[in-house]
Amino acid sequence: MTQVWVLGDGQLGSMLHEAGRRLGIVVSPQSPDDLQALAALADMPPDIITAEREHWPDNVFTRALQAHPAWLNAPAFAVLADRQSQKALLDALQLPTAPWCPVTQDAHVGTLRAALGGEFLLKQRRGAYDGRGQWRSDKASGISLPDWRTEAIAERRIQFSTELSLIGARDAAGNMVFYELTENFHADGILQISVMQPGRYASLQRVAEQYHARLMTHLRYQGVLAIEFFLTPEGLLINEVAPRVHNSGHWMDGGASISQFEMHLRAIAGLPLVTPLQPGCSVMVNIIGEQAHPGCLALPGTQLHWYGKQPRAGRKLGHMNFFHPDREQAVQWLRALPLEAPFEESRRLALSALEG
Ligand code: AMP
């Protein structure tokens, strides 16, 4: 049986493990801090090493994993894990992205506003996710920037009508498949709700797939990769790229015939890549902090998925999916779901997308 190691042992790693069990692939998520696993890497090396995250501590174990011949996507991680090299690559490939610039020690709010033509965000180059490591100029009280400015890029604040993501996969032979564009609603930088309606963004789908294919082909990428977009009056702008399975694809567990986790394993293990059936409306709601909604299980289209993590404010603890061929049913489910205050704006936007 094919043995796959995953760098990272969070919820994405355990979902890859689940998908592997069904496919007959042994998937073993590895904590990047588990230095004991170094011996196992030498004694019983896996056939394939992949990752569920793009940031990890630098230690003897993570270095050994990346130096291993079974480690996939070394060129992709080297460039995509740092926002600055990621943005430079997007520019070089002529893939549209929010205007940006590196930040020097002597930069201040005024110089960056002038350079970027308006309000901007500082985004930490490494290790920041879910809106962490972000700083907004429109909320600044003076001209000074945070101390970590030289470890950040500055990016123009974009006015967008919605956020979309495209998840696709490529195998070693260059075959590629894509899912339907997913619409995403965030609060404080954290994904709250994702909605997929087949064909809703049909005219953008082709463009998004072209961008995605250009990037994966350039990187000779193997596996699932996610691109997040802003939809603007000028078209799609890439917000960021994640070389892994992605939170905005969790709806696929019920809403697609092949989940992103299975697709990732198919792509890296040389199994057939086919475009999955995605026949109905799908809604995914993250469970963040301490909410629990067992009541939602009373409807037949509902899935509930806990990650087994200790509750903490702002932490993703699980998600709920709703899938139904009838869009009206998805609207009713989302309306009826008891959600905490931070979700209300996302729910309103998601409902207007579903009803629009
Ligand atoms: P990120 O961690 O880069 O995905 O950012 C998290 C969220 O912050 C995004 O999903 C957007 O809602 C918001 N955001 C990020 N970059 C920008 C930008 N340049 N302009 C406006 N909003 C942004």
Side-chain angles (χ1 to χ4, degrees), residues 92-116:
L93 294 177
Q94 297 186 314
L95 294 169
T97 180
W100 69 283
C101 63
V103 183
T104 54
Q105 181 68 32
D106 58 351
H108 58 75
V109 173
T111 52
L112 291 177
R113 266 199 198 118
L116 293 167

Side-chain angles (χ1 to χ4, degrees), residues 210-284:
Q210 281 170 357
Y211 293 165
H212 202 301
R214 197 182 306 167
L215 182 63
M216 288 202 295
T217 305
H218 172 83
L219 294 168
R220 296 176 184 277
Y221 189 78
Q222 292 178 55
V224 159
L225 178 141
I227 301 185
E228 293 181 63
F229 295 98
F230 299 125
L231 181 56
T232 74
E234 290 74 44
L236 292 172
L237 281 188
I238 295 179
N239 172 26
E240 64 177 0
V241 179
R244 55 172 168 78
V245 288
H246 196 253
N247 191 175
S248 70
H250 287 353
W251 61 264
M252 297 160 190
D253 287 352
S257 57
I258 304 169
S259 75
Q260 59 172 338
F261 304 103
E262 176 172 338
M263 194 66 87
H264 184 68
L265 295 176
R266 284 181 179 226
I268 64 177
L271 296 171
L273 284 194
V274 287
T275 303
L277 304 176
Q278 303 153 78
C281 258
S282 288
V283 182
M284 190 278 318

Side-chain angles (χ1 to χ4, degrees), residues 72-353:
L72 292 183
N73 297 320
F77 282 107
V79 69
L80 297 178
D82 179 326
R83 281 187 195 275
Q84 184 157 314
S85 48
Q86 182 181 122
K87 291 286 245 183
L89 175 66
L90 296 175
D91 287 349
L93 294 177
Q94 297 186 314
L95 294 169
T97 180
W100 69 283
C101 63
V103 183
T104 54
Q105 181 68 32
D106 58 351
H108 58 75
V109 173
T111 52
L112 291 177
R113 266 199 198 118
L116 293 167
E119 298 298 345
F120 62 90
L121 288 85
L122 288 194
K123 292 184 172 182
Q124 274 176 10
R125 287 170 55 176
R126 289 183 167 274
Y129 60 96
D130 284 348
R132 280 175 243 177
Q134 271 192 20
W135 180 95
R136 284 172 55 164
S137 66
D138 60 340
K139 295 192 172 163
S141 48
I143 61 155
S144 53
L145 297 167
D147 293 344
W148 46 268
R149 58 188 172 279
T150 54
E151 286 142 44
I153 61 162
E155 188 178 288
R156 175 133 107 239
R157 183 141 181 261
I158 298 298
Q159 303 296 330
F160 51 83
S161 55
T162 193
E163 295 185 70
L164 299 168
S165 58
L166 183 70
I167 294 181
R170 180 181 180 277
D171 66 15
N175 299 305
M176 289 183 254
V177 287
F178 301 98
Y179 289 87
E180 294 265 352
L181 278 164
T182 300
E183 199 163 356
N184 301 312
F185 303 92
H186 296 78
D188 295 329
I190 304 180
L191 179 64
Q192 314 271 309
I193 297 174
S194 292
V195 175
M196 190 288 286
Q197 303 177 72
R200 173 162 165 93
Y201 290 103
S203 58
L204 295 172
Q205 181 83 29
R206 202 175 44 85
V207 178
E209 288 184 10
Q210 281 170 357
Y211 293 165
H212 202 301
R214 197 182 306 167
L215 182 63
M216 288 202 295
T217 305
H218 172 83
L219 294 168
R220 296 176 184 277
Y221 189 78
Q222 292 178 55
V224 159
L225 178 141
I227 301 185
E228 293 181 63
F229 295 98
F230 299 125
L231 181 56
T232 74
E234 290 74 44
L236 292 172
L237 281 188
I238 295 179
N239 172 26
E240 64 177 0
V241 179
R244 55 172 168 78
V245 288
H246 196 253
N247 191 175
S248 70
H250 287 353
W251 61 264
M252 297 160 190
D253 287 352
S257 57
I258 304 169
S259 75
Q260 59 172 338
F261 304 103
E262 176 172 338
M263 194 66 87
H264 184 68
L265 295 176
R266 284 181 179 226
I268 64 177
L271 296 171
L273 284 194
V274 287
T275 303
L277 304 176
Q278 303 153 78
C281 258
S282 288
V283 182
M284 190 278 318
V285 176
N286 269 331
I287 303 175
I288 298 166
E290 286 194 62
Q291 313 157 70
H293 303 297
C296 73
L297 292 173
L299 286 177
T302 307
Q303 296 175 322
L304 178 60
H305 191 143
W306 288 110
Y307 307 153
K309 300 199 301 198
Q310 286 303 317
R312 198 191 320 127
R315 192 174 204 200
K316 290 177 183 167
L317 302 177
H319 65 268
M320 291 169 282
N321 281 343
F322 186 79
F323 163 75
H324 206 281
D326 177 17
R327 188 170 51 134
E328 188 49 39
Q329 295 290 319
V331 168
Q332 284 177 20
W333 181 82
L334 192 53
R335 264 190 209 293
L337 211 56
L339 292 175
E340 287 173 6
F343 280 85
E344 283 309 331
E345 178 62 5
S346 296
R347 166 155 52 193
R348 192 186 65 72
L349 292 167
L351 281 169
S352 71

